[in-house]
Amino acid sequence: MGASKYIRETIINEYKNRSPEYKNRLAKWADEDSVVRIEKPSNLVRARELGYKAKEGIILARAAIRKGNRKRREVGGGRKPSKSARFISRHKRMQVIAEERVAKKFSNYEVLNSYFVGETGTKRFYEVILISKQDNGIKKDKTYAPIASKSGRASRLLTSAGRKSRGL
C-alpha cells in the first residue's frame, strides 16, 4: 500500500472515532476567524486529488460556515407567511458558500476546489484551494493557466461543488 492510502485511513479513523487530537483541532479552529489562510492541508490526499500542489502561487484557506438555516436580521412586517419567517433554508450548499467567502477575502486568487475537513455542533469546516492570478509559474502551467485567466469561478458556480449544487 502506498502512503496516501495510510493517510486516508488515518483521517477516516480520526473522524469516525472522534480522537482527542481531532477534537482539539476542531476546538482550535472554532476559536479562529471564519476564513483563515493555512500553510499545509489537513487532508493531503484529498487536496492532491483536487489539484493541490505545493508550489508557488497555490495557497490554502480554511472556512468555517455556521450550520443550520440562514437567520434573517430583521423580520419584515405584515401578515404574509413570506414576511414572518425568522429562519430561511439555504438554497446553496455550505461548501459553495465557503468557496464564495474565501474568494471574496482573497480577491487576487481564484478558487480551484474545496473539500470538507470536519464539523462541530455549530460549524462546518472546509479547506479551499486557491490559485494566484498574477504568478508567472501559474500562467505558464498548462493545467492551471486556463483556470487562473478566468475570474469569478466560485461566484459563477464553476467549481465541483458549484456544479453539484446546479445539478450538473
Side-chain angles (χ1 to χ4, degrees), residues 124-139:
R124 191 172 276 178
F125 300 98
Y126 296 94
E127 286 184 2
V128 183
I129 305 166
L130 298 158
I131 299 173
S132 175
K133 294 178 187 177
Q134 292 88 17
D135 193 85
N136 289 329
I138 298 295
K139 287 180 183 177

Side-chain angles (χ1 to χ4, degrees), residues 54-74:
K55 64 188 279 185
E56 225 173 282
I58 298 176
I59 65 165
L60 287 160
R62 186 183 315 109
I65 306 297
R66 201 179 123 212
K67 290 166 69 173
N69 292 335
R70 184 175 72 84
K71 188 176 181 181
R72 290 167 108 185
R73 289 186 186 152
E74 293 179 15

Side-chain angles (χ1 to χ4, degrees), residues 1-15 25 42-46 48-49:
M1 286 197 297
S4 60
K5 192 167 186 181
Y6 286 115
I7 294 169
R8 181 179 284 128
E9 286 177 2
T10 304
I11 291 169
I12 289 169
N13 288 336
E14 274 186 357
Y15 180 71
R25 195 181 315 143
S42 60
N43 188 346
L44 182 64
V45 177
R46 186 67 182 141
R48 286 236 179 104
E49 285 174 359

Side-chain angles (χ1 to χ4, degrees), residues 14-72:
E14 274 186 357
Y15 180 71
K16 284 184 179 176
N17 299 333
R18 293 285 181 170
S19 67
E21 296 90 13
Y22 183 75
K23 286 181 181 179
N24 292 337
R25 195 181 315 143
L26 289 176
K28 191 178 107 183
W29 292 350
D31 292 337
E32 292 176 350
D33 294 335
S34 60
V35 177
V36 180
R37 182 178 173 173
I38 55 176
E39 296 301 318
K40 296 178 185 175
S42 60
N43 188 346
L44 182 64
V45 177
R46 186 67 182 141
R48 286 236 179 104
E49 285 174 359
L50 296 175
Y52 171 76
K53 289 181 185 172
K55 64 188 279 185
E56 225 173 282
I58 298 176
I59 65 165
L60 287 160
R62 186 183 315 109
I65 306 297
R66 201 179 123 212
K67 290 166 69 173
N69 292 335
R70 184 175 72 84
K71 188 176 181 181
R72 290 167 108 185

Side-chain angles (χ1 to χ4, degrees), residues 69-132:
N69 292 335
R70 184 175 72 84
K71 188 176 181 181
R72 290 167 108 185
R73 289 186 186 152
E74 293 179 15
V75 177
R79 290 178 52 190
K80 291 182 181 175
S82 62
K83 302 286 185 184
S84 61
R86 180 81 165 138
F87 293 94
I88 299 171
S89 62
R90 296 183 172 159
H91 298 292
K92 292 182 189 174
R93 291 171 172 236
M94 286 187 183
Q95 191 169 354
V96 173
I97 295 168
E99 289 175 354
E100 288 176 350
R101 288 184 186 173
V102 170
K104 191 175 182 182
K105 182 167 183 178
F106 298 98
S107 57
N108 57 336
Y109 286 86
E110 201 58 51
V111 174
L112 175 65
N113 238 319
S114 63
Y115 56 95
F116 172 80
V117 286
E119 65 181 328
T120 61
T122 56
K123 292 182 179 178
R124 191 172 276 178
F125 300 98
Y126 296 94
E127 286 184 2
V128 183
I129 305 166
L130 298 158
I131 299 173
S132 175

